[in-house]
């Protein structure tokens, strides 16, 4: 059984990009692998939060992870700050990655540029080292993520290979697993930008908690182009291609078949809107139910943290021994 790990930050609300790029695959893969999924609250500290909101956001996100279908009986769902080995190995990762490598991370460049004159934390810069620790602690072979995380998985591989070379075989070298469709869901209003929690306006973002009416409205207003031919061309027709990708995942119909089926943008938009609304309705209902039971969510997260810690502690110990730190 493959060991699988992937994580999500408790910042903002879960959107369609998170769902199609990652969460859906976490759910479909949970019976085929030995799976660990973290809510990475410490990563969220890299951009300052309103004090006191992170804990509540963490519980909300846990409710959403169970609502999309992660089964606490088979999937280990945990909170990063509950498993202290993440920050412990994180330091070692920081000492195994170079300043130059971290400087080349597009996510750092984008996020720090967006903040311009604002406070840019050192944590935002060293973020990939903590992410490498998240992955390597669990001996993960597969990391199911959206396209935007590929560079972070690549640097994790580089760090693991370097560590193994310096100190002897210690870490499993992971690989990113991205879905065939849905790996890069674009903003409906700005289809050349990915759908993202950090976008200012949410007219182009579908949240998993949006009502069917809101979802349909957002799809009706989706930006396409003026030539009115339905064709799949990500570069020249990003809006239409994004709708085709989303409709394809929501209905299980290949993009090529959809291109044959549609001649009008209007119909493509309304059908995509209804398919997505239908797909998300049961998730929203389960989420509302689970959210009302924070005691049960905390209980499930404690079980997850206990299971995660057994694995994380043994890997950290292995890394300490490989380096040759004095035993206590
Ligand atoms: P985060 O919280 O931004 O996103 C969670 C997952 O959603 C995917 N995703 C998308 N997929 C398709 N289209 C989009 N528009 C889209 N937006 C987001 C992301 O690729 C991701 O899989 N750095 C990570 C969190 C992290 C992590 C890890 C991931 C920390 N440690 C260890 C994997 C393994 C992040 O910020 O994801």
């Amino acid at each position: 059984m493959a060991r699988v790990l992937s994580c999500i930050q408790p910042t903002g609300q879960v959107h369609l990009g998170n769902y199609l790029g990652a969460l859906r695959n976490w759910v479909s893969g949970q019976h085929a692998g030995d799976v660990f999924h973290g809510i990475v609250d410490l990563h969220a500290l890299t951009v300052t939060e309103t004090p006191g909101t992170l804990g509540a956001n963490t519980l909300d996100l846990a409710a959403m992870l169970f609502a999309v279908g992660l089964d606490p009986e088979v999937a280990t769902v945990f909170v990063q700050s509950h498993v202290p080995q993440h920050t412990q190995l994180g330091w070692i990762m920081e000492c195994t990655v170079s300043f130059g490598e971290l400087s080349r991370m597009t996510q750092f460049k984008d996020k720090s540029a967006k903040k311009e004159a604002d406070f840019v934390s050192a944590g935002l810069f060293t973020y990939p080292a903590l992410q490498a620790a998240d992955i390597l602690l669990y001996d993960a072979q597969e990391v199911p993520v959206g396209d935007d995380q590929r560079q972070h998985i690549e640097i994790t591989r580089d760090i693991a290979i370097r560590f193994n070379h310096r100190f002897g075989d210690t870490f499993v070298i992971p690989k990113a697993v991205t879905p065939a469709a849905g790996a890069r869901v674009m903003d409906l209003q700005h289809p050349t930008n990915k759908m993202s929690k950090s976008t200012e306006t949410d007219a182009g973002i579908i949240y998993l908690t949006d009502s069917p009416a809101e979802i349909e409205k957002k799809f009706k207003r989706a930006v396409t182009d003026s030539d009115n031919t339905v064709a799949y061309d990500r570069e020249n027709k990003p809006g239409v291609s994004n709708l085709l990708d989303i409709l394809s995942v929501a209905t299980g119909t290949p993009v090529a078949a959809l291109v044959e089926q549609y001649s009008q943008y209007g119909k493509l938009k309304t059908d995509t809107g209804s398919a997505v609304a239908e797909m998300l309705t049961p998730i929203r209902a389960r989420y509302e139910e689970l959210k009302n039971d924070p005691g049960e969510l905390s209980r499930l997260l404690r079980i997850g943290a206990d299971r995660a810690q057994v694995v994380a502690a043994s890997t950290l110990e292995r890394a300490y021994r490989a380096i040759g730190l004095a035993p206590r």
Side-chain angles (χ1 to χ4, degrees):
M1 242 193 191
R3 176 63 70 73
V4 176
L5 170 124
S6 196
C7 303
I8 179 167
Q9 292 196 65
T11 41
Q13 295 196 53
V14 178
H15 56 67
L16 190 65
N18 299 130
Y19 182 60
L20 300 185
L23 305 186
R24 226 169 155 266
N25 282 359
W26 299 5
V27 173
S28 64
Q30 67 185 329
H31 295 286
D34 179 17
V35 309
F36 289 79
H37 293 299
I39 299 174
V40 285
D41 52 350
L42 299 175
H43 272 103
L45 292 177
T46 55
V47 288
T48 32
E49 285 274 318
T50 317
T53 55
L54 199 49
N57 290 347
T58 299
L59 283 191
D60 282 354
L61 180 54
M64 188 53 91
L65 295 184
F66 295 123
V68 297
L70 282 180
D71 175 355
E73 297 283 323
V74 288
T76 299
V77 178
F78 65 94
V79 177
Q80 186 186 34
S81 65
H82 295 177
V83 184
Q85 287 78 9
H86 286 253
T87 41
Q88 290 176 290
L89 187 65
W91 174 252
I92 293 175
M93 300 292 101
E94 282 185 40
C95 298
T96 315
V97 69
S98 73
F99 183 87
E101 283 170 315
L102 292 175
S103 310
R104 288 193 286 277
M105 293 290 109
T106 47
Q107 194 151 310
F108 172 73
K109 287 195 267 188
D110 289 352
K111 285 198 178 168
S112 53
K114 257 191 208 159
K115 292 174 81 65
E116 287 167 1
D118 269 7
F119 180 80
V120 175
S121 72
L124 194 61
F125 184 67
T126 58
Y127 182 115
L130 184 58
Q131 179 157 350
D134 300 336
I135 299 170
L136 300 180
L137 272 178
Y138 296 89
D139 290 333
Q141 293 152 304
E142 296 178 6
V143 188
V145 283
D147 240 8
D148 62 333
Q149 292 300 315
R150 275 184 179 282
Q151 200 184 25
H152 285 163
I153 314 305
E154 271 310 308
I155 199 172
T156 300
R157 289 169 60 89
D158 294 343
I159 294 173
I161 291 168
R162 182 173 302 135
F163 186 100
N164 287 353
H165 185 69
R166 277 191 192 156
F167 300 113
D169 223 7
T170 307
F171 294 122
V172 171
I173 312 298
K175 70 165 197 285
V177 180
T178 51
R184 196 166 180 79
V185 177
M186 309 310 275
D187 188 292
L188 300 183
Q189 287 299 315
H190 306 280
T192 47
N193 300 344
K194 68 170 184 183
M195 194 175 282
S196 160
K197 292 171 194 169
S198 48
T199 309
E200 265 127 53
T201 68
D202 48 16
I205 306 177
I206 303 293
Y207 296 111
L208 267 52
T209 49
D210 280 349
S211 69
E214 282 168 312
I215 295 172
E216 282 166 15
K217 188 165 109 192
K218 286 179 183 174
F219 274 103
K220 268 198 195 121
R221 295 184 178 169
V223 167
T224 41
D225 54 48
S226 53
D227 81 353
N228 222 14
T229 9
V230 176
Y232 190 82
D233 179 344
R234 276 229 159 214
E235 201 161 311
N236 298 310
K237 297 175 76 68
V240 177
S241 305
N242 191 36
L243 293 175
L244 286 167
D245 265 336
I246 295 171
L247 184 59
S248 168
V249 196
T251 59
T253 315
V255 166
L258 294 174
V259 170
E260 294 291 303
Q261 234 168 290
Y262 286 90
S263 53
Q264 300 284 325
Y265 288 172
K267 177 107 174 81
L268 175 63
K269 289 183 195 179
T270 45
D271 283 6
T272 309
S274 349
V276 170
E278 198 178 314
M279 172 177 74
L280 299 183
T281 293
I283 294 176
R284 200 176 60 253
R286 275 199 302 275
Y287 172 73
E288 291 304 332
E289 229 176 87
L290 292 164
K291 211 169 76 110
N292 290 326
D293 197 350
E296 175 61 5
L297 288 170
S298 298
R299 188 186 73 86
L300 293 174
L301 292 174
R302 269 196 304 276
I303 295 174
D306 288 344
R307 290 208 296 244
Q309 193 157 6
V310 172
V311 180
S314 109
T315 313
L316 182 71
E317 191 54 37
R318 203 191 321 136
Y320 278 5
R321 266 190 278 118
I323 297 169
L325 298 179
R328 2 185 261 144

